Amino acid sequence: MLRVQWLLASAALSLMVEAQMPISEIPADLACEKGAHAAAWQSAKKRFQSLLEAEDLFGLIPADKIKAAVDAAVSEVRTAGGFDKSAGDECGYGRLAIQLLSLALVDDPVAAAQPLQQSLTIANPVLTLLLDIPWVATALSGWPFFGILAQVGHHKVQSLTGMLNNEAVDQLDKKGSQAFFTEMTAAKQKSDLVGMAEASIIVLQSNTDVGVLGSLTALATQAAMQADVQKRMGQCQALQQALRNAIGDARELDIALTTRWPLWSLLHISVDAFASAPPAPAA
């Protein structure tokens, strides 16, 4: 069976099983709006949102801009007392966002290659948010989780240039994957979502084997282009299930973040859209 068919089938089966299981508990105050230092955390969140909104979603943001945003956020929260011992674990999501975005500033290529494997205190909550917490809840929190992951990925690719076999990571030995990758890369360089969507539709309709990451990218492209909020929510649920089948630990996530496929940027577009146009509550 072709990999894209397996991903779709397994995601559909997982959704059926999930419907019979308790939903993962969403952490309280994911948006960091209720703590004693909420104002400082909201300001940090806005800094990160603005950073991502002002730059090319498919490229690496200059290091000086990332550093300025991280430093300003840390300074503001520290000045407000948000890092004091008395603050406890207030705004865990915000602390994680700062730690994650800081990974895009790591200079050492060796450290940049496996940042999550080297720090399970970061990896474990990242995996929980990625695989267990509904993405709509992540979007509504306002923290640009997937945008930050995309920047970590862009940084990893740049830092490891010439040091690893990119074609092996991207699974370009698969039948049809090289042609699809070339089309997606050309469209990505022009931020051409329509071009990406057209290429993805052909791949999905023809059941072309483009590897796991290529298939996830094709699915993420369709979700990013979906104007109907409820349909996009369903597509994102299926994508999250597919990621659960593809990524199970920090090592696999480190590898997935090293891909040149525009997967993480497309997930950012797909999920972040819920922040401005949330799905209607169930009747």
Side-chain angles (χ1 to χ4, degrees):
M1 180 182 293
L2 294 177
R3 192 62 174 179
V4 66
Q5 293 176 312
W6 178 84
L7 280 168
L8 290 169
S10 61
L13 176 60
S14 295
L15 283 170
M16 293 172 62
V17 172
E18 186 183 63
Q20 303 176 45
M21 298 175 64
I23 299 175
S24 297
E25 182 179 352
I26 299 175
D29 195 24
L30 204 61
C32 303
E33 296 175 336
K34 300 177 181 178
H37 311 94
W41 285 112
Q42 294 308 301
S43 180
K45 183 195 301 183
K46 289 178 182 178
R47 287 184 187 279
F48 293 167
Q49 291 171 339
S50 298
L51 175 71
L52 293 167
E53 290 170 357
E55 301 293 332
D56 176 14
L57 291 174
F58 296 102
L60 178 62
I61 297 173
D64 60 331
K65 292 185 178 181
I66 293 178
K67 187 176 186 304
V70 171
D71 288 350
V74 169
S75 176
E76 191 163 11
V77 173
R78 178 177 291 120
T79 299
F83 293 134
D84 291 352
K85 186 175 181 179
S86 60
D89 58 357
E90 180 188 349
C91 194
Y93 203 165
R95 294 167 189 264
L96 179 64
I98 290 173
Q99 292 175 310
L100 257 186
L101 193 52
S102 296
L103 295 181
L105 297 171
V106 175
D107 291 327
D108 181 7
V110 176
Q114 302 176 336
L116 298 178
Q117 295 173 72
Q118 295 176 354
S119 179
L120 293 182
T121 57
I122 298 178
N124 289 336
V126 167
L127 287 166
T128 296
L129 284 165
L130 181 64
L131 306 177
D132 299 330
I133 303 300
W135 289 354
V136 171
T138 295
L140 294 179
S141 76
W143 292 102
F145 177 63
F146 287 97
I148 292 175
L149 283 180
Q151 287 304 307
V152 173
H154 294 321
H155 177 67
K156 282 165 65 71
V157 170
Q158 182 183 80
S159 298
L160 300 175
T161 298
M163 299 179 63
L164 52 73
N165 186 339
N166 292 110
E167 293 204 352
V169 173
D170 297 327
Q171 301 172 319
L172 299 187
D173 59 324
K174 302 294 182 180
K175 182 180 178 180
S177 59
Q178 182 66 65
F180 179 46
F181 180 79
T182 299
E183 289 184 78
M184 292 295 286
T185 299
K188 177 184 71 173
Q189 292 173 345
K190 298 180 291 186
S191 296
D192 180 9
L193 279 173
V194 174
M196 292 184 192
E198 291 174 346
S200 298
I201 289 174
I202 293 174
V203 164
L204 294 172
Q205 291 182 341
S206 64
N207 290 324
T208 302
D209 186 0
V210 294
V212 175
L213 294 172
S215 298
L216 287 169
T217 299
L219 294 171
T221 304
Q222 298 307 301
M225 291 296 290
Q226 179 56 255
D228 185 289
V229 176
Q230 295 297 329
K231 290 181 180 179
R232 191 191 322 117
M233 183 168 68
Q235 290 172 327
C236 284
Q237 288 173 336
L239 265 167
Q240 187 174 30
Q241 293 294 339
L243 276 177
R244 287 178 182 171
N245 292 324
I247 299 172
D249 56 28
R251 173 182 170 277
E252 291 174 342
L253 180 53
D254 262 331
I255 293 173
L257 284 171
T258 312
T259 184
R260 296 171 299 168
W261 289 100
L263 171 62
W264 302 101
S265 294
L266 289 165
L267 287 175
H268 171 59
I269 294 171
S270 302
V271 176
D272 196 58
F274 293 121
S276 57

